[in-house]
């Protein structure tokens, strides 16, 4: 005959079976989505943002970053961290960047709120 489980480990196992335990798990999951959801989504969809001509860049590139919205100061400053800001390309939501390194190009493509990254000719 087996003995009943006692002590802290049994209490922890039974906690996960209670309503409080399930609320704790749900809260932790919501918190993880809030903190890491945009980053994970950006990494998962990065290849769809980057133009095929830029995927195998070996040196600095001149690019146009296309947004689906009118950027605020925050967006302009954040995009400018990846290269040298060189103005707009026709409309306010098309930003020109010069001298974007291949590493920064990959990092820029992982930003979830960017729609496309095209080569600038």
């Amino acid at each position: 005959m087996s003995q009943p489980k006692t002590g802290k480990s049994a209490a922890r196992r039974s906690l996960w079976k209670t309503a409080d335990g399930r609320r704790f798990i749900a809260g932790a999951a919501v918190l993880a989505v809030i903190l890491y959801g945009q980053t994970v989504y950006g990494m998962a969809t990065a290849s769809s943002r980057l133009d095929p001509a830029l995927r195998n860049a070996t040196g600095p590139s001149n690019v146009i970053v296309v947004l689906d919205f009118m950027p605020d100061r925050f967006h302009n400053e954040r995009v400018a961290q990846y290269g040298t800001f060189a103005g707009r390309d026709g409309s306010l939501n098309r930003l020109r960047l010069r001298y974007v390194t291949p590493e920064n190009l990959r990092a820029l493509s992982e930003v979830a709120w960017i729609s496309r990254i095209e080569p600038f000719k």
Side-chain angles (χ1 to χ4, degrees):
M1 197 155 142
S2 66
Q3 296 179 345
K5 295 179 182 177
T6 59
K8 290 184 180 180
S9 65
R12 280 190 210 132
R13 282 191 210 115
S14 66
L15 175 66
W16 300 114
K17 295 177 184 177
T18 65
D20 287 339
R22 287 189 296 274
R23 271 190 238 126
F24 176 78
I25 292 171
V30 167
L31 187 61
V33 168
I34 289 170
L35 292 176
Y36 303 108
Q38 186 173 3
T39 302
V40 171
Y41 174 76
M43 290 170 63
T45 59
S47 64
S48 67
R49 285 185 200 86
L50 197 56
D51 190 271
L54 297 169
R55 289 195 180 130
N56 297 320
T58 57
S61 302
N62 299 328
V63 299
I64 298 172
V65 178
V66 182
L67 307 175
D68 284 338
F69 55 91
M70 290 299 138
D72 291 327
R73 182 177 176 181
F74 163 80
H75 302 103
N76 293 331
E77 290 174 358
R78 178 86 189 271
V79 167
Q81 291 175 350
Y82 296 96
T84 304
F85 182 75
R88 313 271 181 201
D89 187 60
S91 65
L92 293 176
N93 64 335
R94 294 176 58 88
L95 311 173
R96 292 181 187 167
L97 283 182
R98 296 191 183 273
Y99 309 112
V100 181
T101 65
E103 298 81 25
N104 282 348
L105 196 56
R106 283 186 277 286
L108 186 62
S109 70
E110 293 178 1
V111 178
W113 42 264
I114 291 177
S115 177
R116 289 185 320 277
I117 302 171
E118 304 170 346
F120 175 63
K121 299 172 184 171

